[in-house]
Amino acid sequence: MRALRVLLRKEFLQIRRDPVLLRMMFVIPIIQLIVLANAATFEVKESRVWVVDQDRSAESRGVVDRLVGTGRFRVVGASPTFTEAEAALMERGTDAVVSIPPDFARDLRRTRRATVGLSFNAEDGAQAGVASAYANEVLRRYAAELSAELALASPALAARAALQRGTPRLEVQTRDWYNESLDYRQFMVPGILVQLVTVVGTILTALNIVREKEIGTLDQLNVTPIARSTFVIAKLLPLWIIALVQLSIGLVVARFLFAVPFEGSLALVYTAAAIYLVAALGLGLWISTVAETQQQALFLAFSVLMVYILMSGLFTPVRAMPTWTQWLAQLNPLMHFIKLMRAVLLKGATVRDVWPQLGVLATAGAVLMSLAVRQYRKGGA
């Protein structure tokens, strides 16, 4: 224990005396959290719209007014035919075209049915899908508004039209659970926080040990009576503690800067983080055993983490990936920790709800750390 205390003191002093390392640990991750939370978004704040209004009635103007009134659509042009609109789409001068056919208002009054065309530039499929959902929701509300107005203006006609359709009226009420304001940052911030803790924990672990190799102190320590297990614990424990401190700072930023709700237990979050960091640090230790220089360690760590992050569901849903990729993603502890963080913070999930993720994290930590320690012993033999 005395050897471990001495080594731990040496590690903390070494970290404290390195200002660059301190900035890497605490300043850069917080800056990344703030920047990425605002940049990594699928929210479409504004779409440019071209209007082809061939009806020119109050009802057709109402369609455009409702879309523009949301603040998510901006009219950039108008024409009497679709030819100019098609050219604007081709030249990327607009993101969408709203086409209103002739007799739009007349059809509404006579049959209570009319058609509005929405054409989107779907080069960016995700953006087009989101904008389409916004527009459809606006038009659905406008249709309900028009239906109520027509019913008041002509109750007999409304009753006859309803009878002709033979279908009852349904009032649809939509509610968004767990994120009623649809604020993407409440969804992204917990995931970005996990990613930053992973990057710092894994890369710093790898660099910290490889640096000892480069300056020769690792060889000196290997010939001392200090047990390898003691050396490994002394190397990893400070970074494990620092990563938890970093997580705490990130949670404070998430709560007070991004208003992320903490619906679940923070004790559960820290328990999961403590387990997950064993896997993250084990990965960093394994990288340090196969890399001889800090450049090699950095390159290898980024290569592995890139796959980790892309298959974690942080930016794109895992269920949208090919089937074999979804199976492979189940081996990714980063994906399970992100899923757990979102479930606990946003939905108030309990241990009973997230025990599968906890089990995977514990298994991943045991496997990765065992492999890394075995590789380290083999390399030092």
Side-chain angles (χ1 to χ4, degrees):
M1 287 300 293
R2 182 174 180 279
L4 179 58
R5 283 200 303 272
V6 171
L7 284 173
L8 284 174
R9 184 168 181 273
K10 171 248 180 193
E11 290 298 326
F12 278 115
L13 284 174
Q14 189 173 335
I15 292 170
R16 196 185 69 180
R17 289 171 180 171
D18 190 337
V20 176
L21 193 61
L22 286 174
R23 284 196 288 272
M24 285 178 61
M25 286 180 172
F26 295 108
V27 178
I28 293 177
I30 299 305
I31 294 174
Q32 288 178 330
L33 175 63
I34 295 171
V35 173
L36 284 176
N38 288 287
T41 172
F42 294 107
E43 183 182 22
V44 179
K45 294 186 181 299
E46 184 182 85
S47 289
R48 299 167 298 166
V49 171
W50 190 283
V51 177
V52 180
D53 187 354
Q54 296 176 316
D55 189 58
R56 295 185 175 278
S57 62
E59 288 80 0
S60 66
R61 284 193 296 274
V63 171
V64 180
D65 291 343
R66 297 305 187 282
L67 289 172
V68 174
T70 63
R72 295 187 182 276
F73 297 92
R74 176 169 57 90
V75 176
V76 293
S79 61
T81 65
F82 200 82
T83 306
E84 293 89 343
E86 188 176 1
L89 274 176
M90 179 65 73
E91 297 168 359
R92 299 190 177 90
T94 183
D95 301 313
V97 176
V98 178
S99 54
I100 304 172
D103 302 328
F104 173 78
R106 188 198 64 184
D107 291 344
L108 267 178
R109 295 192 189 95
R110 288 184 176 178
T111 66
R112 299 182 70 191
R113 288 178 181 271
T115 304
V116 175
L118 291 173
S119 305
F120 290 89
N121 180 357
E123 286 178 298
D124 185 341
Q127 179 177 346
V130 173
S132 175
Y134 289 155
N136 276 290
E137 177 62 19
V138 172
L139 294 181
R140 188 186 67 80
R141 293 180 181 177
Y142 182 50
E145 183 183 331
L146 281 176
S147 177
E149 289 178 1
L150 290 173
L152 288 174
S154 179
L157 180 61
R160 189 169 65 251
L163 185 63
Q164 289 172 349
R165 286 196 304 272
T167 54
R169 291 185 56 187
L170 292 178
E171 184 179 355
V172 179
Q173 294 182 342
T174 304
R175 182 184 174 190
D176 301 299
W177 286 47
Y178 311 124
N179 186 1
E180 293 186 359
S181 59
L182 297 181
D183 187 349
Y184 72 94
R185 290 175 297 186
Q186 294 187 8
F187 176 75
M188 291 300 296
V189 167
I192 293 172
L193 191 54
V194 172
Q195 177 208 336
L196 296 178
V197 170
T198 305
V199 169
V200 172
T202 301
I203 292 180
L204 288 187
T205 302
L207 293 180
N208 195 19
I209 297 177
V210 171
R211 186 173 59 179
E212 300 275 8
K213 278 187 186 177
E214 288 185 327
I215 62 179
T217 53
L218 188 60
D219 292 333
Q220 295 173 8
L221 288 169
N222 282 336
V223 297
T224 63
I226 298 172
R228 291 189 187 279
S229 58
T230 304
F231 173 76
V232 170
I233 293 173
K235 275 292 178 187
L236 299 187
L237 189 56
L239 295 172
W240 184 81
I241 295 172
I242 289 170
L244 288 178
V245 173
Q246 186 190 60
L247 174 66
S248 304
I249 297 173
L251 286 172
V252 171
V253 174
R255 183 72 184 92
F256 293 103
L257 188 59
F258 297 112
V260 175
F262 289 0
E263 300 290 346
S265 165
L266 282 180
L268 179 55
V269 169
Y270 277 98
T271 302
I275 298 171
Y276 170 73
L277 280 171
V278 176
L281 297 175
L283 178 62
L285 178 62
W286 178 80
I287 291 172
S288 72
T289 62
V290 297
E292 296 298 328
T293 64
Q294 293 189 61
Q295 287 82 4
Q296 289 178 5
L298 201 57
F299 180 78
L300 188 55
F302 268 116
S303 300
V304 175
L305 289 176
M306 184 66 72
V307 177
Y308 252 41
I309 293 168
L310 289 177
M311 298 183 66
S312 68
L314 175 61
F315 298 110
T316 55
V318 174
R319 62 180 178 277
M321 299 176 185
T323 305
W324 67 270
T325 314
Q326 294 183 36
W327 282 104
L328 199 59
Q330 299 304 314
L331 301 176
N332 185 358
L334 183 63
M335 183 198 76
H336 293 281
F337 191 33
I338 289 175
K339 188 182 289 186
L340 183 147
M341 282 279 283
R342 286 170 173 165
V344 174
L345 294 182
L346 302 183
K347 298 167 65 177
T350 62
V351 176
R352 186 177 178 182
D353 301 314
V354 298
W355 68 265
Q357 285 77 38
L358 286 173
V360 172
L361 295 181
T363 305
V367 171
L368 284 173
M369 187 57 73
S370 300
L371 288 175
V373 171
R374 184 179 176 185
Q375 182 71 21
Y376 174 75
R377 286 175 175 167
K378 186 178 175 182

